Amino acid sequence: TRLASYSHPNRSLASYTEGVDRNKGTTVQVRGFWGDIINSPYHAFGTTADPEDRPRLFKISGSMYRHHETDVAEFGLSALISEMETGDRVHLPPEKPEEHVFPYASPLDEFRATDKIEEVTEDKVDAKATGGGARSRRAARKQKADWPPLVRAFDGVEVVLMSGDLREQLQKPRYRGLFHRAFVGSMAVMPLFEDAGIAAGGSTDPFEATQSPNVRRPPSVETPELLGSRREESLVAGAFATGAEVTFETLKYQAHFEGLARLGFRHRVAQACHLFGWHLRDERHALPRMERDMKEARARELDTDASDFMR
Protein backbone atom coordinates (compact mmCIF):
# COMPACT_ATOMS: atom_id res chain seq x y z
CA THR A 1 0.00 0.00 0.00
CA ARG A 2 1.31 3.45 -0.84
CA LEU A 3 0.26 6.88 0.33
CA ALA A 4 -1.41 8.51 -2.68
CA SER A 5 -4.59 10.22 -3.84
CA TYR A 6 -6.90 8.07 -5.96
CA SER A 7 -9.28 10.71 -7.31
CA HIS A 8 -10.46 8.86 -10.43
CA PRO A 9 -11.76 5.29 -10.81
CA ASN A 10 -9.74 2.92 -12.96
CA ARG A 11 -12.22 1.05 -15.14
CA SER A 12 -9.66 -0.43 -17.53
CA LEU A 13 -9.93 -3.89 -15.88
CA ALA A 14 -13.61 -3.75 -14.97
CA SER A 15 -15.90 -6.59 -16.03
CA TYR A 16 -19.26 -8.12 -15.12
CA THR A 17 -20.19 -11.25 -13.23
CA GLU A 18 -23.51 -12.74 -12.16
CA GLY A 19 -24.87 -11.86 -8.76
CA VAL A 20 -28.12 -11.94 -6.77
CA ASP A 21 -30.06 -8.81 -5.95
CA ARG A 22 -30.29 -8.55 -2.15
CA ASN A 23 -33.81 -7.10 -2.22
CA LYS A 24 -35.53 -8.89 -5.09
CA GLY A 25 -33.51 -12.11 -5.19
CA THR A 26 -33.19 -11.90 -8.97
CA THR A 27 -30.04 -12.48 -10.99
CA VAL A 28 -28.21 -9.29 -11.88
CA GLN A 29 -24.91 -8.33 -13.50
CA VAL A 30 -22.42 -6.85 -11.04
CA ARG A 31 -19.60 -4.69 -12.31
CA GLY A 32 -16.20 -4.81 -10.65
CA PHE A 33 -12.71 -6.24 -10.82
CA TRP A 34 -12.91 -10.04 -10.80
CA GLY A 35 -9.32 -10.92 -11.55
CA ASP A 36 -6.20 -12.21 -9.85
CA ILE A 37 -3.45 -10.26 -8.16
CA ILE A 38 -0.57 -9.91 -10.63
CA ASN A 39 2.83 -8.72 -9.43
CA SER A 40 4.90 -6.47 -11.64
CA PRO A 41 8.01 -7.90 -13.35
CA TYR A 42 10.23 -5.61 -11.28
CA HIS A 43 9.56 -7.54 -8.09
CA ALA A 44 11.21 -10.63 -9.57
CA PHE A 45 14.54 -8.84 -9.14
CA GLY A 46 14.03 -8.59 -5.39
CA THR A 47 13.53 -5.79 -2.87
CA THR A 48 16.92 -5.98 -1.20
CA ALA A 49 18.22 -2.43 -0.73
CA ASP A 50 21.58 -0.92 0.13
CA PRO A 51 21.84 -0.23 3.89
CA GLU A 52 22.43 3.44 3.08
CA ASP A 53 19.13 3.73 1.16
CA ARG A 54 16.98 1.19 2.98
CA PRO A 55 15.62 3.49 5.78
CA ARG A 56 14.26 5.96 3.22
CA LEU A 57 12.94 3.34 0.78
CA PHE A 58 11.10 1.49 3.56
CA LYS A 59 9.93 4.61 5.39
CA ILE A 60 6.57 4.22 7.16
CA SER A 61 4.24 7.23 7.39
CA GLY A 62 0.83 6.99 8.99
CA SER A 63 1.12 3.20 9.42
CA MET A 64 1.72 2.83 5.66
CA TYR A 65 4.87 2.28 3.66
CA ARG A 66 5.79 5.36 1.65
CA HIS A 67 6.84 3.17 -1.29
CA HIS A 68 5.52 -0.15 -2.53
CA GLU A 69 7.64 -3.11 -3.58
CA THR A 70 7.71 -2.11 -7.25
CA ASP A 71 9.25 1.27 -6.36
CA VAL A 72 12.03 -0.42 -4.37
CA ALA A 73 12.70 -3.08 -7.00
CA GLU A 74 12.68 -0.54 -9.85
CA PHE A 75 15.21 1.63 -8.05
CA GLY A 76 17.41 -1.38 -7.30
CA LEU A 77 17.34 -2.54 -10.92
CA SER A 78 18.06 0.96 -12.26
CA ALA A 79 20.96 1.31 -9.82
CA LEU A 80 22.31 -2.10 -10.85
CA ILE A 81 22.23 -1.25 -14.57
CA SER A 82 23.86 2.12 -13.94
CA GLU A 83 26.59 0.49 -11.86
CA MET A 84 27.29 -2.00 -14.65
CA GLU A 85 27.68 0.86 -17.12
CA THR A 86 29.77 3.24 -15.03
CA GLY A 87 31.27 1.15 -12.23
CA ASP A 88 29.97 3.65 -9.63
CA ARG A 89 27.47 2.85 -6.87
CA VAL A 90 24.13 4.63 -7.19
CA HIS A 91 22.29 5.97 -4.14
CA LEU A 92 19.23 8.10 -3.51
CA PRO A 93 19.55 11.89 -3.82
CA PRO A 94 20.46 13.82 -0.64
CA GLU A 95 17.73 13.84 1.99
CA LYS A 96 15.42 16.86 2.07
CA PRO A 97 13.17 18.28 4.82
CA GLU A 98 10.10 17.73 2.60
CA GLU A 99 10.46 13.98 3.13
CA HIS A 100 9.42 14.39 6.78
CA VAL A 101 6.46 16.74 6.27
CA PHE A 102 3.06 15.80 4.86
CA PRO A 103 2.50 14.76 2.08
CA TYR A 104 5.99 13.27 2.52
CA ALA A 105 7.93 13.82 -0.70
CA SER A 106 9.55 10.75 -2.14
CA PRO A 107 13.29 10.75 -2.95
CA LEU A 108 12.45 8.55 -5.94
CA ASP A 109 10.63 11.45 -7.62
CA GLU A 110 13.88 13.36 -7.92
CA PHE A 111 15.74 10.21 -8.92
CA ARG A 112 13.31 9.50 -11.78
CA ALA A 113 13.44 13.10 -12.97
CA THR A 114 17.19 13.01 -13.57
CA ASP A 115 19.12 11.48 -16.46
CA LYS A 116 16.04 11.14 -18.62
CA ILE A 117 16.52 10.25 -22.28
CA GLU A 118 14.82 12.76 -24.55
CA GLU A 119 14.31 12.23 -28.23
CA VAL A 120 15.43 15.29 -30.16
CA THR A 121 13.71 15.97 -33.47
CA GLU A 122 15.31 17.66 -36.42
CA ASP A 123 13.40 20.91 -35.93
CA LYS A 124 14.76 21.20 -32.38
CA VAL A 125 18.39 21.00 -33.42
CA ASP A 126 20.14 24.31 -32.90
CA ALA A 127 21.42 25.32 -36.31
CA LYS A 128 23.98 27.64 -34.77
CA ALA A 129 25.48 24.95 -32.56
CA THR A 130 25.53 22.32 -35.27
CA GLY A 131 26.32 24.54 -38.20
CA GLY A 132 23.14 23.41 -39.94
CA GLY A 133 24.89 20.68 -41.91
CA ALA A 134 24.57 16.93 -41.82
CA ARG A 135 28.31 16.51 -41.33
CA SER A 136 28.36 18.70 -38.21
CA ARG A 137 25.32 16.90 -36.79
CA ARG A 138 27.07 13.57 -37.18
CA ALA A 139 30.15 14.97 -35.49
CA ALA A 140 28.08 16.13 -32.53
CA ARG A 141 26.85 12.62 -31.80
CA LYS A 142 28.54 10.71 -29.03
CA GLN A 143 31.27 8.51 -30.38
CA LYS A 144 31.40 4.84 -29.49
CA ALA A 145 34.79 5.35 -27.87
CA ASP A 146 33.19 7.78 -25.40
CA TRP A 147 30.70 5.25 -24.05
CA PRO A 148 31.44 4.15 -20.46
CA PRO A 149 32.84 0.61 -20.52
CA LEU A 150 31.11 -2.30 -18.85
CA VAL A 151 32.83 -3.83 -15.84
CA ARG A 152 35.43 -6.44 -16.68
CA ALA A 153 33.30 -9.19 -15.21
CA PHE A 154 31.01 -8.90 -18.25
CA ASP A 155 33.75 -9.44 -20.82
CA GLY A 156 32.72 -12.41 -22.95
CA VAL A 157 29.26 -12.64 -21.32
CA GLU A 158 26.28 -13.21 -23.61
CA VAL A 159 22.71 -12.77 -22.35
CA VAL A 160 20.13 -14.99 -24.07
CA LEU A 161 16.41 -14.27 -23.56
CA MET A 162 14.45 -17.48 -24.09
CA SER A 163 10.93 -17.20 -25.53
CA GLY A 164 8.43 -19.70 -26.86
CA ASP A 165 8.41 -23.38 -25.93
CA LEU A 166 11.48 -23.84 -23.71
CA ARG A 167 11.96 -27.55 -24.37
CA GLU A 168 11.63 -27.01 -28.10
CA GLN A 169 14.25 -24.26 -27.98
CA LEU A 170 16.69 -26.33 -25.92
CA GLN A 171 16.61 -29.14 -28.51
CA LYS A 172 18.97 -27.06 -30.64
CA PRO A 173 22.54 -28.41 -30.46
CA ARG A 174 24.03 -24.96 -29.93
CA TYR A 175 22.42 -24.78 -26.47
CA ARG A 176 24.03 -28.02 -25.27
CA GLY A 177 26.13 -27.19 -22.20
CA LEU A 178 26.01 -23.47 -23.07
CA PHE A 179 24.52 -21.71 -20.04
CA HIS A 180 26.40 -20.88 -16.85
CA ARG A 181 23.68 -18.77 -15.19
CA ALA A 182 19.89 -18.80 -15.49
CA PHE A 183 16.96 -17.08 -13.78
CA VAL A 184 13.56 -18.82 -13.75
CA GLY A 185 10.44 -16.90 -12.76
CA SER A 186 7.83 -18.57 -10.58
CA MET A 187 5.36 -18.66 -13.48
CA ALA A 188 7.88 -20.24 -15.87
CA VAL A 189 8.76 -23.44 -14.02
CA MET A 190 6.19 -25.73 -15.68
CA PRO A 191 8.53 -26.72 -18.57
CA LEU A 192 11.09 -27.82 -15.99
CA PHE A 193 8.51 -29.89 -14.14
CA GLU A 194 7.44 -31.49 -17.42
CA ASP A 195 11.05 -32.20 -18.32
CA ALA A 196 11.56 -33.86 -14.94
CA GLY A 197 8.35 -35.89 -15.31
CA ILE A 198 6.67 -34.49 -12.19
CA ALA A 199 4.22 -31.99 -13.73
CA ALA A 200 1.08 -34.08 -13.33
CA GLY A 201 2.20 -36.63 -10.76
CA GLY A 202 1.06 -40.20 -11.19
CA SER A 203 3.17 -43.02 -12.59
CA THR A 204 5.89 -40.72 -13.97
CA ASP A 205 6.47 -39.03 -10.62
CA PRO A 206 9.08 -40.97 -8.63
CA PHE A 207 8.24 -39.07 -5.44
CA GLU A 208 4.62 -40.21 -5.27
CA ALA A 209 5.45 -43.55 -3.67
CA THR A 210 8.59 -42.58 -1.75
CA GLN A 211 7.76 -39.39 0.14
CA SER A 212 6.26 -39.52 3.62
CA PRO A 213 2.48 -38.96 3.74
CA ASN A 214 2.73 -36.76 6.85
CA VAL A 215 6.03 -34.89 6.62
CA ARG A 216 7.78 -33.64 3.49
CA ARG A 217 11.52 -33.23 3.82
CA PRO A 218 14.12 -32.16 1.24
CA PRO A 219 14.59 -34.79 -1.51
CA SER A 220 18.28 -35.03 -0.61
CA VAL A 221 17.13 -36.50 2.73
CA GLU A 222 14.11 -38.56 1.66
CA THR A 223 15.30 -39.90 -1.71
CA PRO A 224 19.08 -39.47 -2.09
CA GLU A 225 19.13 -42.38 -4.56
CA LEU A 226 17.17 -40.30 -7.12
CA LEU A 227 19.85 -37.62 -7.42
CA GLY A 228 20.58 -37.10 -11.13
CA SER A 229 18.37 -40.01 -12.20
CA ARG A 230 16.90 -38.00 -15.11
CA ARG A 231 19.90 -35.91 -16.02
CA GLU A 232 20.73 -37.76 -19.23
CA GLU A 233 17.28 -37.54 -20.86
CA SER A 234 16.63 -33.97 -19.63
CA LEU A 235 16.88 -31.16 -22.17
CA VAL A 236 16.98 -28.57 -19.40
CA ALA A 237 19.80 -30.17 -17.45
CA GLY A 238 21.76 -30.77 -20.65
CA ALA A 239 21.71 -27.06 -21.51
CA PHE A 240 23.85 -26.11 -18.51
CA ALA A 241 27.61 -26.23 -18.22
CA THR A 242 29.39 -27.87 -15.32
CA GLY A 243 29.24 -25.65 -12.25
CA ALA A 244 26.30 -23.56 -13.53
CA GLU A 245 23.98 -21.74 -11.15
CA VAL A 246 20.18 -21.55 -11.62
CA THR A 247 18.08 -19.11 -9.57
CA PHE A 248 14.38 -19.78 -9.02
CA GLU A 249 11.85 -17.20 -7.92
CA THR A 250 9.58 -18.50 -5.15
CA LEU A 251 5.92 -17.72 -4.43
CA LYS A 252 6.86 -15.80 -1.30
CA TYR A 253 5.34 -12.53 -2.52
CA GLN A 254 2.37 -13.99 -4.41
CA ALA A 255 -0.38 -12.79 -2.09
CA HIS A 256 -3.12 -14.97 -3.58
CA PHE A 257 -1.44 -18.29 -2.65
CA GLU A 258 -1.82 -19.90 0.77
CA GLY A 259 1.19 -20.73 2.88
CA LEU A 260 0.97 -24.47 2.26
CA ALA A 261 0.90 -23.90 -1.51
CA ARG A 262 3.98 -21.70 -1.29
CA LEU A 263 5.89 -24.31 0.71
CA GLY A 264 4.71 -27.05 -1.67
CA PHE A 265 6.05 -25.05 -4.62
CA ARG A 266 9.47 -24.84 -2.97
CA HIS A 267 9.56 -28.59 -2.48
CA ARG A 268 8.43 -29.23 -6.07
CA VAL A 269 11.25 -27.07 -7.43
CA ALA A 270 13.72 -28.90 -5.18
CA GLN A 271 12.46 -32.27 -6.44
CA ALA A 272 12.91 -31.30 -10.10
CA CYS A 273 16.41 -30.02 -9.39
CA HIS A 274 17.20 -33.21 -7.47
CA LEU A 275 16.28 -35.34 -10.49
CA PHE A 276 18.50 -33.14 -12.69
CA GLY A 277 21.43 -33.73 -10.34
CA TRP A 278 21.50 -30.17 -9.02
CA HIS A 279 22.29 -29.31 -5.40
CA LEU A 280 20.38 -26.66 -3.44
CA ARG A 281 22.38 -23.97 -1.71
CA ASP A 282 21.39 -23.14 1.87
CA GLU A 283 18.87 -25.99 1.89
CA ARG A 284 17.92 -25.41 5.51
CA HIS A 285 16.90 -21.80 4.87
CA ALA A 286 15.37 -22.23 1.40
CA LEU A 287 13.38 -25.43 1.99
CA PRO A 288 11.52 -25.58 5.32
CA ARG A 289 10.07 -28.89 6.44
CA MET A 290 6.42 -29.24 5.44
CA GLU A 291 3.82 -31.12 7.51
CA ARG A 292 0.47 -32.26 6.15
CA ASP A 293 -1.56 -31.08 9.19
CA MET A 294 0.37 -27.82 9.48
CA LYS A 295 -1.70 -24.76 10.36
CA GLU A 296 -1.94 -22.02 7.75
CA ALA A 297 -0.44 -19.43 10.09
CA ARG A 298 2.58 -21.67 10.70
CA ALA A 299 3.02 -22.32 6.97
CA ARG A 300 2.98 -18.60 6.23
CA GLU A 301 5.48 -17.97 9.01
CA LEU A 302 7.90 -20.56 7.61
CA ASP A 303 7.60 -19.20 4.09
CA THR A 304 8.12 -15.63 5.31
CA ASP A 305 11.32 -16.61 7.12
CA ALA A 306 12.61 -18.61 4.14
CA SER A 307 14.77 -17.16 1.36
CA ASP A 308 13.26 -15.10 -1.45
CA PHE A 309 14.97 -17.20 -4.12
CA MET A 310 16.22 -20.77 -4.44
CA ARG A 311 19.65 -21.36 -5.92
Side-chain angles (χ1 to χ4, degrees), residues 84 149-157:
M84 288 192 297
L150 292 173
V151 294
R152 293 183 179 181
F154 285 87
D155 290 342
V157 174

Side-chain angles (χ1 to χ4, degrees), residues 215-236:
V215 180
R216 183 177 298 182
R217 299 180 179 86
S220 60
V221 176
E222 286 195 340
T223 54
E225 69 280 0
L226 294 178
L227 178 65
S229 59
R230 296 189 176 174
R231 179 187 304 171
E232 296 301 325
E233 63 265 28
S234 169
L235 294 173
V236 174

Side-chain angles (χ1 to χ4, degrees):
T1 304
R2 66 172 301 187
L3 185 63
S5 298
Y6 300 99
S7 55
H8 299 283
N10 179 12
R11 298 189 178 94
S12 58
L13 297 177
S15 59
Y16 288 86
T17 187
E18 284 191 357
V20 179
D21 190 297
R22 295 180 179 179
N23 298 324
K24 301 179 181 179
T26 57
T27 301
V28 295
Q29 295 291 318
V30 182
R31 189 178 71 177
F33 175 68
W34 315 105
D36 254 336
I37 299 174
I38 304 298
N39 289 331
S40 75
Y42 282 108
H43 201 195
F45 293 92
T47 52
T48 302
D50 189 281
E52 181 178 332
D53 302 316
R54 181 177 176 84
R56 298 168 67 193
L57 289 174
F58 288 86
K59 180 180 177 62
I60 298 177
S61 301
S63 301
M64 294 187 297
Y65 282 103
R66 177 63 184 84
H67 307 99
H68 52 62
E69 79 287 344
T70 301
D71 292 329
V72 179
E74 181 183 356
F75 170 75
L77 183 59
S78 300
L80 177 62
I81 295 176
S82 178
E83 184 177 350
M84 288 192 297
E85 291 179 342
T86 64
D88 298 327
R89 301 293 295 271
V90 177
H91 295 287
L92 291 172
E95 192 170 1
K96 295 182 176 181
E98 291 82 357
E99 297 180 25
H100 306 283
V101 181
F102 186 83
Y104 307 108
S106 170
L108 293 180
D109 294 338
E110 182 180 349
F111 174 79
R112 290 168 176 150
T114 58
D115 298 328
K116 293 294 184 181
I117 299 176
E118 181 182 357
E119 183 178 355
V120 180
T121 58
E122 291 295 335
D123 57 347
K124 291 184 178 180
V125 177
D126 189 352
K128 182 180 288 188
T130 61
R135 177 179 300 179
S136 58
R137 284 198 299 270
R138 287 194 298 268
R141 295 174 182 171
K142 198 171 186 179
Q143 300 297 319
K144 185 175 181 179
D146 298 333
W147 296 352
L150 292 173
V151 294
R152 293 183 179 181
F154 285 87
D155 290 342
V157 174
E158 180 183 1
V159 179
V160 180
L161 302 178
M162 306 296 294
S163 61
D165 189 302
L166 180 62
R167 299 179 67 188
E168 182 178 342
Q169 292 289 334
L170 295 181
Q171 288 179 357
K172 300 176 182 179
R174 65 180 179 138
Y175 290 138
R176 188 72 181 176
L178 176 66
F179 298 103
H180 295 80
R181 295 290 186 274
F183 180 89
V184 184
S186 59
M187 300 302 172
V189 297
M190 189 54 66
L192 279 74
F193 292 168
E194 294 173 349
D195 199 46
I198 62 173
S203 59
T204 61
D205 189 346
F207 298 100
E208 284 290 331
T210 56
Q211 64 186 9
S212 171
N214 298 320
V215 180
R216 183 177 298 182
R217 299 180 179 86
S220 60
V221 176
E222 286 195 340
T223 54
E225 69 280 0
L226 294 178
L227 178 65
S229 59
R230 296 189 176 174
R231 179 187 304 171
E232 296 301 325
E233 63 265 28
S234 169
L235 294 173
V236 174
F240 290 96
T242 303
E245 179 177 294
V246 184
T247 302
F248 291 89
E249 180 193 16
T250 66
L251 298 180
K252 184 174 183 177
Y253 298 104
Q254 297 284 350
H256 49 296
F257 286 112
E258 295 182 349
L260 287 173
R262 299 178 196 178
L263 292 179
F265 177 83
R266 290 176 179 270
H267 280 267
R268 211 55 169 164
V269 170
Q271 290 174 352
C273 295
H274 188 70
L275 295 176
F276 294 154
W278 300 346
H279 298 275
L280 181 62
R281 288 188 176 183
D282 194 12
E283 185 176 79
R284 182 179 179 182
H285 190 211
L287 199 63
R289 192 178 75 166
M290 182 178 174
E291 301 175 1
R292 180 178 295 275
D293 57 350
M294 180 182 294
K295 301 296 184 182
E296 175 63 19
R298 176 57 177 166
R300 288 181 177 272
E301 179 183 358
L302 289 175
D303 184 69
T304 300
D305 295 337
S307 58
D308 292 356
F309 300 94
M310 299 175 65
R311 296 175 175 87

